[in-house]
Amino acid sequence: MSAGFVDRQQVGRRFSRVAGAYAEADFFVREVDGRMQERLDYVSLKPKRILDLGCSRGGSFSALMTRYPDAELIGLDLSPAMLRAGRLQPSGWRRWLGGGKKSDPWRLAADAAQLPLAARSTALVWSNLLLHWLDDPIPALAEAHRVLEVGGLLMFSTLGPDTLKELRSAFGDGYAHTQRFADMHDLGDMLVGCGFADPVMDMEVITLTYDDLDAMLTELRAAGSMCAMKDRRHGLTGRQAWATARAAYERLRQDGKLPATFEIVYGHAWKAAPKQTPDGRAIVRFDLPRKG
């Protein structure tokens, strides 16, 4: 995927604008987070450090800290406003062990493609619904691979190509009305290309329903999830364009409701021991026989 399609400043502005009320609008993110957490039930891992990549207000913190109470947790997000809002949320999930309070998660404002962490410093990289906000997932996946220790795990979710397909088809005016979404199989290839081993990808479709188009758009705006592509319409949408889009969407109404499709792509992969040195020389290991 080529760089230069996503307006990253617009992404930051959108999420910063909704940060204060995001806890009332992030139900979809929390739902996907819960489904990701269930996948950890089948993973044997005792991480000493976890990186939550694209953590927003820290919606995944509580479950991760409950599951891995001895791990240090770092939350990283592009929006400082989201990180500040997360510090103000109720802290009933803070942990107490032996009468002493464990430290709260670290919060870092940074780009997922340029992580301010040392190589091999993290055991689990967790990322819920971040990758589709990037021009290209590969730099972020490569950075995740760099900061993971050998044997470490990357687990992520993102949105697939069928997401909001009804909205795209309703407009059809040549402008972008949704993000560009990577295909599940392409993401699997990217993981392998970044050096990950044994990638596992799966997908499910969630369909939300609304009384009307305005209700759906209001919900997307409240969650900071409106289109941030560079080729979106930058001026106001004309009355005729809106009327055409509403009429097209109305033709999709089923059982009195308008559908909105979300394709959720889940992936996880492990960081295996390197097979060659950075300069390209092969690494050959010899297991010497044990004495006695």
Side-chain angles (χ1 to χ4, degrees), residues 108-183:
L108 300 176
D111 193 323
Q114 295 178 311
L115 300 179
L117 298 175
R120 300 189 180 190
S121 62
T122 306
L124 171 62
V125 174
W126 173 271
S127 182
N128 182 24
L129 295 177
L130 166 71
L131 296 181
H132 54 277
W133 294 112
L134 309 178
D135 266 321
D136 184 351
I138 290 178
L141 295 176
E143 275 290 87
H145 186 271
R146 181 184 67 81
V147 303
L148 277 172
E149 62 191 33
V150 172
L153 175 68
L154 166 67
M155 180 169 282
F156 68 88
S157 64
T158 188
L159 296 178
D162 275 349
T163 299
L164 295 175
K165 61 183 180 180
E166 298 90 354
L167 185 63
R168 285 196 300 274
S169 65
F171 276 94
D173 55 5
Y175 292 97
H177 291 275
T178 70
Q179 294 304 105
R180 291 185 346 138
F181 304 114
D183 180 80

Side-chain angles (χ1 to χ4, degrees), residues 40-81:
L40 283 176
D41 293 342
Y42 305 99
V43 172
S44 178
L45 193 68
K46 293 183 179 180
K48 292 183 179 179
R49 175 182 282 176
I50 301 169
L51 172 63
D52 185 347
L53 199 55
C55 67
S56 65
R57 287 170 55 106
S60 298
F61 287 177
S62 178
L64 289 172
M65 294 173 76
T66 299
R67 184 181 292 271
Y68 303 115
D70 297 322
E72 177 188 39
L73 179 56
I74 299 173
L76 183 143
D77 200 87
L78 182 68
S79 169

Side-chain angles (χ1 to χ4, degrees), residues 4-16:
F5 293 96
V6 176
D7 186 342
R8 293 285 281 155
Q9 289 186 336
Q10 180 71 353
V11 173
R13 284 194 296 267
R14 286 262 171 85
F15 281 104
S16 294

